[in-house]
């Protein structure tokens, strides 16, 4: 009951519980409805692509900063973009991009306090996971960690407040962000509904979630150094993180298919670019699009790479993973729980839900035409005519159904603004054309972006959501003050303090002391001398 209540709470409430006390942020949250997209898994030879829907989520966080007139103004400090891919059997939460401007330092948060950027990232991803889980379907969180100067905020690299992590530090940071998702206690039905072994062949009891990390070019022990400290204290059979492992066999639609059908294809992903290069080796493919399948005569096998293990070995020699650079691929797998509705997914594979008639209509078989020897007789159509209702398209249309066999779109986990695909692309491209080089320029860019996105969605007023932190952080100066008070009160409890007698303290004797009064000369090392009669001179060669 407590877990369901936690899942129903809004994102603003969840963030208020994890942010430091009295920290004020503004949330700018936009999303899209689930839209039909290309399959993320390449189909096996002779098969059709799997029907896939994509929902885009974009969360931006801004802080208050005073302008030249002294009035507070919003400045974007952090943004994270997430794509949610759903099929009949799998939900994939792909973290596409995350970037900061460096203006989070305007909050003047102490160094010993928890990072608000990490708290926002963990809370947003866990909130999406809890709200998008479906009965009988596996959910996967996937991302790749690759350091770059700027992803979403142009000119922010020239801001001296911004701290850019290197590749190694970024992989560690994302592992710490996703680690609380594994430590969270799941519902009871999640644990009791699994087999004794994971389909990936890992040892240990069944777990509701499992973390995986692969860094191409690093072995198992080197990869384990990127994981949080809690990983080292866990036993071998109960580790929630598995370095140098991947869950691709267990999430692919056809585990026995060729390797190209087991690796998901995400936008701007290093392994996706490698997939496109390898697909050029297929003789029966004219292009490397995911939607295109090899002909029935082709095998779908690459010429150079024959297995997934070889695929990851070859990834280490890519330009993005070599020459001093590294990329970390992280997965969090949430195992399926509950029972899946039988036949619902298979029925939806054959019938398109968008073309289904309303429930008040009945499907009738059109009359067949009788074929005569020399004449053609037509029959009149009879029955009630049901007019088709027009479909209205708008940038904020949320007329799509909330649930189907291929996606789940709950109302409480939608953005403050729901845009269509074109409106979302306009809002995203607008952000990439702005500048965040300085505080004044960033304030102007933030105001322009929020006004333009509101106009795209048809929202005249502000659409930000204010959040105030409630979490009490430990205060470092208070600890030192208490220790000072304890030292001043020591005179009142001095009778309880035990001190050593000076006579019992002995200085440690040096091992090189010659005049040892305790008679330890026998323990000293004796020097062996060779008599002169035993020394013979080596004769010179004649």
């Amino acid at each position: 009951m407590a877990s369901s209540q936690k899942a129903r709470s809004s994102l603003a409430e969840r963030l208020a519980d994890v942010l430091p006390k009295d920290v004020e942020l503004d949330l700018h949250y936009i999303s899209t409805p689930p839209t039909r997209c290309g399959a993320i898994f390449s189909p096996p030879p002779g098969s059709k692509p799997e029907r896939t829907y994509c929902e885009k989520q974009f969360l931006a966080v801004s802080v208050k900063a005073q302008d030249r007139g002294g009035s507070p103004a919003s400045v974007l400090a952090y943004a994270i973009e997430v794509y949610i891919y759903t099929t009949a059997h799998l939900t994939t939460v792909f973290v596409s991009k995350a970037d900061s401007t460096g203006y989070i330092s305007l909050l003047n948060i102490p160094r010993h306090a928890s990072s608000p950027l990490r708290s926002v990232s963990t809370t947003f991803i866990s909130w999406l996971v809890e709200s998008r889980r479906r009965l009988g379907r596996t959910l996967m969180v996937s991302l790749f960690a690759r350091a770059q100067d700027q992803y979403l905020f142009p000119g922010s690299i020239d801001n001296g407040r911004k701290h850019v992590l290197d590749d190694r530090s970024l992989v560690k940071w994302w592992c710490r962000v996703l680690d609380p998702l594994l430590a969270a206690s799941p519902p009871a039905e999640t644990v009791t509904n699994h087999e004794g072994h994971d389909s990936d062949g890992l040892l240990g009891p069944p777990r509701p979630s499992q973390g995986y990390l692969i860094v191409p070019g690093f072995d198992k022990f080197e990869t384990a150094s990127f994981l949080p400290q809690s990983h080292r204290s866990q036993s071998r059979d109960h580790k929630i993180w598995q370095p140098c492992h991947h869950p691709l066999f267990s999430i692919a639609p056809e585990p026995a298919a060729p390797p190209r059908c087991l690796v998901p294809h995400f936008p701007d992903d290093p392994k996706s670019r490698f997939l496109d290069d390898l697909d050029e080796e297929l003789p029966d493919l004219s292009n490397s699009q995911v939607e295109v399948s090899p002909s029935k005569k082709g095998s779908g096998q690459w010429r150079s790479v024959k297995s997934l293990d070889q695929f990851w070995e070859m990834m280490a020699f890519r330009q993005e993973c070599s020459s001093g650079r590294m990329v970390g691929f992280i997965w969090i797998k949430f195992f399926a729980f509950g029972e899946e509705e039988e036949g619902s997914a298979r029925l939806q594979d054959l019938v398109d839900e968008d073309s289904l008639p309303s429930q008040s209509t009945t499907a009738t078989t059109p009359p067949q035409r009788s074929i005569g020897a020399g004449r053609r007789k037509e029959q009149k159509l009879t029955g009630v005519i049901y007019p088709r209702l027009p479909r209205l398209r708008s940038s904020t249309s949320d007329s799509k159904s909330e649930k189907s066999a291929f996606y789940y779109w709950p109302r409480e986990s939608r953005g403050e603004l729901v845009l269509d695909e074109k409106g979302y692309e306009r809002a995203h491209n607008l952000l990439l054309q702005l500048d965040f080089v300085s505080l004044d320029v960033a304030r102007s860019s933030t105001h322009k972006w929020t006004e333009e996105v509101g106009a795209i969605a048809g929202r005249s007023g502000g659409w930000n959501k204010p959040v105030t932190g409630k979490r009490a952080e430990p205060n470092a100066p208070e600890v030192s003050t208490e220790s000072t008070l304890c030292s001043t009160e020591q005179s009142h409890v001095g009778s309880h303090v035990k001190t050593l007698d000076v006579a019992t303290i002995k200085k440690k004797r040096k091992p090189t002391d010659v005049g040892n009064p305790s008679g330890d000369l026998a323990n000293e090392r004796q020097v062996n001398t060779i008599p002169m009669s035993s020394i013979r001179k080596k004769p010179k060669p004649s």
Side-chain angles (χ1 to χ4, degrees):
M1 187 69 179
S3 61
S4 61
Q5 254 180 356
K6 187 177 180 181
R8 285 195 299 267
S9 61
S10 64
L11 177 61
E13 295 173 351
R14 297 283 296 272
L15 289 174
D17 294 336
V18 299
L19 290 175
K21 190 176 182 180
D22 299 332
V23 170
E24 297 181 356
L25 300 176
D26 285 339
L27 305 182
H28 309 272
Y29 187 16
I30 62 177
S31 65
T32 65
T35 308
R36 188 78 175 268
C37 67
I40 60 176
F41 289 97
S42 298
S47 302
K48 294 182 178 180
E50 190 177 23
R51 185 174 177 181
T52 308
Y53 285 82
C54 177
E55 177 188 352
K56 298 180 180 180
Q57 302 262 349
F58 186 87
L59 176 65
V61 178
S62 63
V63 297
K64 296 295 183 181
Q66 293 184 355
D67 56 8
R68 295 181 179 180
S71 59
S74 297
V75 179
L76 289 176
Y78 180 69
I80 179 172
E81 185 180 31
V82 177
Y83 293 169
I84 302 178
Y85 295 94
T86 54
T87 61
H89 76 284
L90 178 66
T91 300
T92 304
V93 179
F94 173 67
V95 182
S96 175
K97 295 180 181 66
D99 195 9
S100 64
T101 59
Y103 299 111
I104 196 70
S105 60
L106 297 175
L107 298 175
N108 296 324
I109 298 178
R111 290 184 175 271
H112 65 273
S114 59
S115 172
L117 302 185
R118 190 171 67 184
S119 301
V120 170
S121 303
T122 303
T123 305
F124 182 55
I125 297 175
S126 62
W127 182 69
L128 288 178
V129 168
E130 292 178 8
S131 60
R132 298 310 172 96
R133 297 201 67 177
R134 298 181 292 169
L135 291 177
R137 274 82 164 183
T138 302
L139 188 142
M140 178 69 62
V141 177
S142 176
L143 64 88
F144 66 93
R146 180 189 59 189
Q148 192 168 325
D149 294 340
Q150 52 195 20
Y151 275 105
L152 297 171
F153 300 108
S156 59
I157 186 60
D158 297 327
N159 176 25
R161 302 171 183 260
K162 184 172 182 177
H163 176 60
V164 181
L165 298 178
D166 56 1
D167 295 327
R168 181 178 294 270
S169 301
L170 186 62
V171 174
K172 292 182 179 180
W173 189 84
W174 275 113
C175 289
R176 291 195 300 268
V177 167
L178 299 178
D179 188 64
L181 277 69
L182 297 170
S185 58
E189 63 269 16
T190 309
V191 183
T192 59
N193 204 28
H194 302 304
E195 301 294 335
H197 295 277
D198 185 10
S199 58
D200 296 322
L202 302 178
L203 300 176
R207 287 177 292 271
S209 58
Q210 182 70 58
Y212 306 87
L213 173 62
I214 286 184
V215 182
F218 288 72
D219 58 17
K220 183 177 181 179
F221 297 99
E222 293 174 338
T223 306
S225 63
F226 297 98
L227 299 177
Q229 295 291 338
S230 58
H231 169 77
R232 303 173 186 175
S233 60
Q234 298 169 357
S235 61
R236 178 179 178 272
D237 296 339
H238 297 81
K239 289 186 178 298
I240 59 177
W241 284 96
Q242 295 293 336
C244 289
H245 284 85
H246 60 81
L248 299 182
F249 283 108
S250 60
I251 65 174
E254 298 291 340
R260 68 181 298 269
C261 306
L262 305 178
V263 183
H265 197 288
F266 297 122
D268 194 24
D269 193 351
K271 63 179 182 294
S272 299
R273 285 187 283 271
F274 190 29
L275 288 174
D276 295 338
D277 294 342
L278 291 174
D279 283 347
E280 296 179 358
E281 302 177 359
L282 300 176
D284 49 359
L285 275 182
S286 58
N287 52 40
S288 59
Q289 297 294 328
V290 177
E291 294 83 358
V292 180
S293 174
S295 62
K296 295 183 179 181
K297 297 181 181 180
S299 61
Q301 291 281 356
W302 294 318
R303 296 178 181 176
S304 57
V305 177
K306 300 298 183 181
S307 64
L308 276 183
D309 293 339
Q310 192 176 4
F311 174 83
W312 292 112
E313 291 178 2
M314 297 294 294
M315 272 292 299
F317 298 97
R318 300 281 294 180
Q319 183 178 2
E320 296 169 297
C321 304
S322 60
S323 301
R325 299 300 305 271
M326 53 175 289
V327 179
F329 297 93
I330 308 174
W331 299 270
I332 304 293
K333 179 182 177 182
F334 295 88
F335 296 87
F337 65 94
E339 295 182 358
E340 183 180 1
E341 298 178 2
E342 296 182 1
S344 61
R346 189 174 299 275
L347 175 63
Q348 294 291 341
D349 285 334
L350 302 177
V351 182
D352 191 346
E353 62 174 2
D354 296 335
S355 61
L356 288 176
S358 60
Q359 296 181 358
S360 60
T361 61
T362 56
T364 58
T365 304
Q368 299 179 357
R369 298 179 179 179
S370 59
I371 303 176
R375 61 179 182 177
R376 191 174 182 181
K377 186 178 180 180
E378 296 182 356
Q379 297 181 0
K380 296 182 179 180
L381 301 178
T382 60
V384 181
I385 298 177
Y386 296 95
R388 179 179 296 179
L389 297 177
R391 293 184 178 181
L392 301 178
R393 294 186 178 182
S394 63
S395 59
T396 59
S397 176
D398 56 352
S399 59
K400 186 179 287 291
S401 59
E402 181 175 331
K403 184 179 180 181
S404 74
F406 297 94
Y407 63 83
Y408 178 48
W409 190 41
R411 187 171 298 273
E412 59 271 10
S413 64
R414 303 177 188 178
E416 188 69 21
L417 299 181
V418 181
L419 309 176
D420 60 1
E421 190 69 23
K422 292 183 179 179
Y424 182 87
E425 291 299 328
R426 286 178 58 188
H428 188 272
N429 293 334
L430 176 62
L431 183 64
L432 298 180
Q433 295 173 1
L434 299 176
D435 196 1
F436 297 86
V437 64
S438 64
L439 185 58
D440 294 335
V441 176
R443 277 195 297 259
S444 176
S445 299
T446 302
H447 177 74
K448 182 178 180 180
W449 184 76
T450 54
E451 291 292 329
E452 291 290 338
V453 174
I456 294 173
R459 182 77 65 90
S460 57
W463 52 280
N464 61 304
K465 188 79 172 179
V467 176
T468 303
K470 301 178 182 179
R471 181 180 178 181
E473 294 286 344
N475 195 354
E478 291 181 359
V479 178
S480 61
T481 305
E482 292 178 358
S483 61
T484 306
L485 293 176
C486 292
S487 62
T488 56
E489 296 176 357
Q490 190 176 6
S491 58
H492 300 282
V493 294
S495 57
H496 300 283
V497 179
K498 296 182 179 180
T499 57
L500 293 177
D501 189 6
V502 182
T504 60
I505 301 177
K506 295 183 179 180
K507 184 179 179 181
K508 186 177 180 181
R509 184 176 294 107
K510 296 181 181 181
T512 56
D513 291 344
V514 180
N516 193 351
S518 58
D520 293 339
L521 293 176
N523 296 330
E524 295 182 359
R525 183 177 299 177
Q526 299 294 333
V527 180
N528 296 328
T529 58
I530 302 176
M532 296 297 296
S533 58
S534 61
I535 299 177
R536 297 180 180 179
K537 187 176 181 182
K538 185 178 180 180
K540 295 181 180 180
S542 56

